[in-house]
């Protein structure tokens, strides 16, 4: 099914991959804003303290939390509770509700502190793409498992570039399952009035690209800002149709100027 074109709106400023989509849903952390670094740092402090206080029996599992590999594998794109449980299980640590809630609460406190101290910025390439989509009449939504998504977008000065926002608070209110379930993204396109098979999802997390694939989206774009040796390959294996280092690459002019 071809998307309905808005008269007078040209899509020439978009890369060919996006010219036939009816809407685009963007993850927030690491895709729109540089807040993934704050999340990763907060998780590291919280998890490393727990590993020190309750070291796993297996010495190989006692290594500190890796802000790149462990973040991508276990917590990126997930809710705090789901991310905490996934990492603890991977290290063989008790995953009782009390332990999971405690480490998630510690992470939340640390993240909020860092956010207030350091702030966040929007990636210029993402802003360029979102503005090109708006100029072309393509509806845009931001979606995130984080309850801070609206605050992050507001602090970065880009909240008004999106037609809809589905954050962690909304997900909890509506009882949406966390990624890799597609519920968050499906709710976003529902609010835009576009079916998933005519829409694109943009994600930097393994769980996120898998969610896009499970949701039947027409296009799943993976973002690999670190350009790691195998990160792009992992994103493709989990469901991305294509992987870019910067979303400015999806503008007709290429990388951001």
């Amino acid at each position: 099914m071809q998307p309905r074109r808005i008269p007078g709106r040209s899509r020439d400023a978009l890369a060919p991959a996006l010219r036939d989509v009816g809407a685009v849903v963007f993850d927030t952390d690491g895709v729109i804003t540089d807040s993934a670094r704050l999340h990763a740092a907060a998780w590291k402090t919280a998890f490393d303290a727990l590993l020190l206080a309750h070291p796993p029996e297996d010495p190989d599992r006692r290594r500190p939390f890796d802000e790149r590999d462990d973040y991508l594998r276990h917590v990126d794109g997930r809710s705090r509770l789901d991310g905490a449980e996934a990492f603890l299980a991977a290290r063989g640590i008790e995953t009782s509700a009390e332990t999971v809630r405690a480490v998630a609460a510690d992470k939340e406190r640390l993240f909020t502190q860092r956010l207030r101290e350091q702030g966040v910025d929007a990636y210029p390439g993402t802003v360029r793409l979102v503005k090109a989509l708006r100029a072309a009449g393509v509806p845009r939504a931001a979606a995130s498992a984080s309850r801070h998504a609206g605050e992050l977008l507001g602090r970065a000065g880009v909240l008004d570039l999106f037609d809809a926002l589905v954050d962690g608070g909304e997900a909890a209110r509506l009882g949406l399952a966390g990624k890799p379930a597609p519920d968050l993204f499906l709710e976003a396109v529902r609010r835009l009035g576009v079916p998933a098979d005519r829409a694109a999802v943009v994600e930097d997390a393994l769980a996120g690209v898998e969610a896009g694939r499970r949701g039947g989206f027409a296009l799943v774009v993976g973002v690999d800002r670190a350009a790691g040796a195998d990160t792009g390959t992992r994103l493709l294996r989990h469901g991305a149709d294509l992987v870019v280092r910067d979303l400015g690459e999806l503008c007709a002019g290429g990388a951001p100027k």
Side-chain angles (χ1 to χ4, degrees), residues 10 21 26 91 112 123 127 148 169 197 203 205 208 219 257:
S10 171
V21 299
F26 293 81
R91 292 302 182 90
T112 301
Y123 290 104
V127 174
H148 293 282
D197 64 2
E203 259 283 4
L219 178 68
K257 298 176 182 178

Side-chain angles (χ1 to χ4, degrees), residues 43-55 103 106 110:
W43 276 123
K44 178 172 177 57
T45 301
F47 282 137
D48 284 357
L50 185 66
L51 288 167
L52 186 62
H54 304 284
V103 72
D106 193 25
L110 292 162

Side-chain angles (χ1 to χ4, degrees), residues 80-195:
R80 286 196 309 276
L81 294 178
D82 288 347
E85 183 174 11
F87 177 76
L88 296 182
R91 292 302 182 90
I93 298 175
E94 175 196 4
T95 57
S96 67
E98 181 180 2
T99 301
V100 169
R101 282 196 302 268
V103 72
D106 193 25
K107 181 267 175 180
E108 171 70 0
R109 176 185 60 80
L110 292 162
F111 174 80
T112 301
Q113 178 182 339
R114 285 172 167 80
L115 177 61
R116 290 172 179 169
E117 293 173 350
Q118 301 178 31
V120 295
D121 294 311
Y123 290 104
T126 301
V127 174
R128 184 180 172 210
L129 175 61
V130 174
K131 288 182 175 179
L133 290 166
R134 181 176 64 176
V138 181
R140 305 148 318 280
S144 174
S146 172
R147 294 174 182 264
H148 293 282
E151 180 184 1
L152 290 169
L153 295 174
R155 283 175 175 260
V158 295
L159 183 59
D160 63 346
L161 295 179
F162 298 91
D163 301 302
L165 168 65
V166 183
D167 64 6
E170 280 291 277
R173 182 180 69 82
L174 296 172
L176 303 179
K179 304 171 190 176
D183 299 30
L184 197 69
F185 295 149
L186 293 175
E187 174 63 18
V189 289
R190 186 192 69 78
R191 296 186 183 191
L192 295 178
V194 178

Side-chain angles (χ1 to χ4, degrees), residues 21-95:
V21 299
V24 181
V25 180
F26 293 81
D27 176 51
T28 301
D29 299 306
V31 172
I32 303 172
T33 65
D34 66 355
S35 45
R37 61 182 173 81
L38 300 182
H39 283 290
W43 276 123
K44 178 172 177 57
T45 301
F47 282 137
D48 284 357
L50 185 66
L51 288 167
L52 186 62
H54 304 284
E57 293 185 7
D58 183 351
D60 290 339
R61 293 183 171 183
R62 296 175 190 170
R63 65 188 183 281
F65 178 84
D66 187 285
E67 292 179 67
R68 181 175 173 181
D69 188 63
D70 285 325
Y71 181 77
L72 182 65
R73 286 178 181 274
H74 304 300
V75 300
D76 191 18
R78 303 178 188 269
S79 70
R80 286 196 309 276
L81 294 178
D82 288 347
E85 183 174 11
F87 177 76
L88 296 182
R91 292 302 182 90
I93 298 175
E94 175 196 4
T95 57

